[in-house]
PDB file of all heavy atoms in Angstrom:
ATOM      1  N   ALA P 121      -3.190  37.622 -38.748  1.00  0.00           N
ATOM      2  CA  ALA P 121      -1.985  38.461 -38.853  1.00  0.00           C
ATOM      3  C   ALA P 121      -2.164  39.550 -39.907  1.00  0.00           C
ATOM      4  O   ALA P 121      -1.777  40.705 -39.699  1.00  0.00           O
ATOM      5  CB  ALA P 121      -0.767  37.595 -39.170  1.00  0.00           C
ATOM      6  N   GLY P 122      -2.749  39.204 -41.052  1.00  0.00           N
ATOM      7  CA  GLY P 122      -2.985  40.196 -42.095  1.00  0.00           C
ATOM      8  C   GLY P 122      -3.948  41.276 -41.653  1.00  0.00           C
ATOM      9  O   GLY P 122      -3.742  42.475 -41.939  1.00  0.00           O
ATOM     10  N   HIS P 123      -5.001  40.908 -40.940  1.00  0.00           N
ATOM     11  CA  HIS P 123      -5.960  41.898 -40.450  1.00  0.00           C
ATOM     12  C   HIS P 123      -5.299  42.849 -39.441  1.00  0.00           C
ATOM     13  O   HIS P 123      -5.511  44.069 -39.480  1.00  0.00           O
ATOM     14  CB  HIS P 123      -7.145  41.197 -39.785  1.00  0.00           C
ATOM     15  CG  HIS P 123      -8.089  40.562 -40.757  1.00  0.00           C
ATOM     16  ND1 HIS P 123      -8.297  41.025 -42.032  1.00  0.00           N
ATOM     17  CD2 HIS P 123      -8.908  39.479 -40.623  1.00  0.00           C
ATOM     18  CE1 HIS P 123      -9.190  40.285 -42.649  1.00  0.00           C
ATOM     19  NE2 HIS P 123      -9.570  39.318 -41.813  1.00  0.00           N
ATOM     20  N   LEU P 124      -4.495  42.289 -38.554  1.00  0.00           N
ATOM     21  CA  LEU P 124      -3.829  43.142 -37.556  1.00  0.00           C
ATOM     22  C   LEU P 124      -2.789  44.051 -38.204  1.00  0.00           C
ATOM     23  O   LEU P 124      -2.600  45.204 -37.800  1.00  0.00           O
ATOM     24  CB  LEU P 124      -3.191  42.271 -36.472  1.00  0.00           C
ATOM     25  CG  LEU P 124      -4.175  41.445 -35.628  1.00  0.00           C
ATOM     26  CD1 LEU P 124      -3.428  40.609 -34.595  1.00  0.00           C
ATOM     27  CD2 LEU P 124      -5.203  42.334 -34.943  1.00  0.00           C
ATOM     28  N   ARG P 125      -2.109  43.569 -39.214  1.00  0.00           N
ATOM     29  CA  ARG P 125      -1.170  44.411 -39.980  1.00  0.00           C
ATOM     30  C   ARG P 125      -1.908  45.584 -40.607  1.00  0.00           C
ATOM     31  O   ARG P 125      -1.434  46.726 -40.577  1.00  0.00           O
ATOM     32  CB  ARG P 125      -0.526  43.567 -41.067  1.00  0.00           C
ATOM     33  CG  ARG P 125       0.464  44.302 -41.958  1.00  0.00           C
ATOM     34  CD  ARG P 125       1.790  44.503 -41.257  1.00  0.00           C
ATOM     35  NE  ARG P 125       2.062  45.898 -40.989  1.00  0.00           N
ATOM     36  CZ  ARG P 125       3.161  46.364 -40.422  1.00  0.00           C
ATOM     37  NH1 ARG P 125       4.110  45.522 -40.039  1.00  0.00           N
ATOM     38  NH2 ARG P 125       3.360  47.636 -40.215  1.00  0.00           N
ATOM     39  N   ALA P 126      -3.100  45.325 -41.147  1.00  0.00           N
ATOM     40  CA  ALA P 126      -3.900  46.390 -41.757  1.00  0.00           C
ATOM     41  C   ALA P 126      -4.331  47.410 -40.708  1.00  0.00           C
ATOM     42  O   ALA P 126      -4.335  48.626 -40.972  1.00  0.00           O
ATOM     43  CB  ALA P 126      -5.111  45.796 -42.461  1.00  0.00           C
ATOM     44  N   LEU P 127      -4.691  46.928 -39.508  1.00  0.00           N
ATOM     45  CA  LEU P 127      -5.053  47.856 -38.434  1.00  0.00           C
ATOM     46  C   LEU P 127      -3.863  48.727 -38.049  1.00  0.00           C
ATOM     47  O   LEU P 127      -3.991  49.947 -37.861  1.00  0.00           O
ATOM     48  CB  LEU P 127      -5.555  47.083 -37.212  1.00  0.00           C
ATOM     49  CG  LEU P 127      -6.957  46.496 -37.275  1.00  0.00           C
ATOM     50  CD1 LEU P 127      -7.268  45.750 -35.987  1.00  0.00           C
ATOM     51  CD2 LEU P 127      -8.009  47.582 -37.501  1.00  0.00           C
ATOM     52  N   GLN P 128      -2.685  48.115 -37.917  1.00  0.00           N
ATOM     53  CA  GLN P 128      -1.486  48.890 -37.579  1.00  0.00           C
ATOM     54  C   GLN P 128      -1.189  49.946 -38.637  1.00  0.00           C
ATOM     55  O   GLN P 128      -0.874  51.091 -38.319  1.00  0.00           O
ATOM     56  CB  GLN P 128      -0.286  47.948 -37.419  1.00  0.00           C
ATOM     57  CG  GLN P 128      -0.346  47.090 -36.177  1.00  0.00           C
ATOM     58  CD  GLN P 128       0.935  46.302 -35.935  1.00  0.00           C
ATOM     59  OE1 GLN P 128       0.954  45.422 -35.098  1.00  0.00           O
ATOM     60  NE2 GLN P 128       2.017  46.593 -36.638  1.00  0.00           N
ATOM     61  N   ASP P 129      -1.293  49.558 -39.898  1.00  0.00           N
ATOM     62  CA  ASP P 129      -1.015  50.511 -40.986  1.00  0.00           C
ATOM     63  C   ASP P 129      -1.989  51.678 -40.951  1.00  0.00           C
ATOM     64  O   ASP P 129      -1.647  52.799 -41.374  1.00  0.00           O
ATOM     65  CB  ASP P 129      -1.090  49.803 -42.342  1.00  0.00           C
ATOM     66  CG  ASP P 129       0.054  48.814 -42.542  1.00  0.00           C
ATOM     67  OD1 ASP P 129       1.046  48.893 -41.791  1.00  0.00           O
ATOM     68  OD2 ASP P 129      -0.057  47.964 -43.454  1.00  0.00           O
ATOM     69  N   ALA P 130      -3.194  51.431 -40.440  1.00  0.00           N
ATOM     70  CA  ALA P 130      -4.195  52.498 -40.358  1.00  0.00           C
ATOM     71  C   ALA P 130      -4.082  53.276 -39.051  1.00  0.00           C
ATOM     72  O   ALA P 130      -4.876  54.204 -38.817  1.00  0.00           O
ATOM     73  CB  ALA P 130      -5.588  51.900 -40.485  1.00  0.00           C
ATOM     74  N   GLY P 131      -3.125  52.907 -38.191  1.00  0.00           N
ATOM     75  CA  GLY P 131      -2.934  53.605 -36.923  1.00  0.00           C
ATOM     76  C   GLY P 131      -3.873  53.159 -35.820  1.00  0.00           C
ATOM     77  O   GLY P 131      -3.936  53.792 -34.758  1.00  0.00           O
ATOM     78  N   ALA P 132      -4.591  52.079 -36.030  1.00  0.00           N
ATOM     79  CA  ALA P 132      -5.520  51.564 -35.013  1.00  0.00           C
ATOM     80  C   ALA P 132      -4.802  50.496 -34.196  1.00  0.00           C
ATOM     81  O   ALA P 132      -4.851  49.303 -34.516  1.00  0.00           O
ATOM     82  CB  ALA P 132      -6.767  50.993 -35.683  1.00  0.00           C
ATOM     83  N   VAL P 150     -11.653  46.722 -41.182  1.00  0.00           N
ATOM     84  CA  VAL P 150     -10.952  45.525 -40.715  1.00  0.00           C
ATOM     85  C   VAL P 150     -11.380  45.171 -39.292  1.00  0.00           C
ATOM     86  O   VAL P 150     -11.555  43.992 -38.958  1.00  0.00           O
ATOM     87  CB  VAL P 150      -9.425  45.728 -40.785  1.00  0.00           C
ATOM     88  CG1 VAL P 150      -8.702  44.541 -40.167  1.00  0.00           C
ATOM     89  CG2 VAL P 150      -8.983  45.923 -42.220  1.00  0.00           C
TER      90      VAL P 150
END
Side-chain angles (χ1 to χ4, degrees):
H123 285 331
L124 296 179
R125 179 77 247 182
L127 284 179
Q128 289 188 191
D129 291 344
V150 174

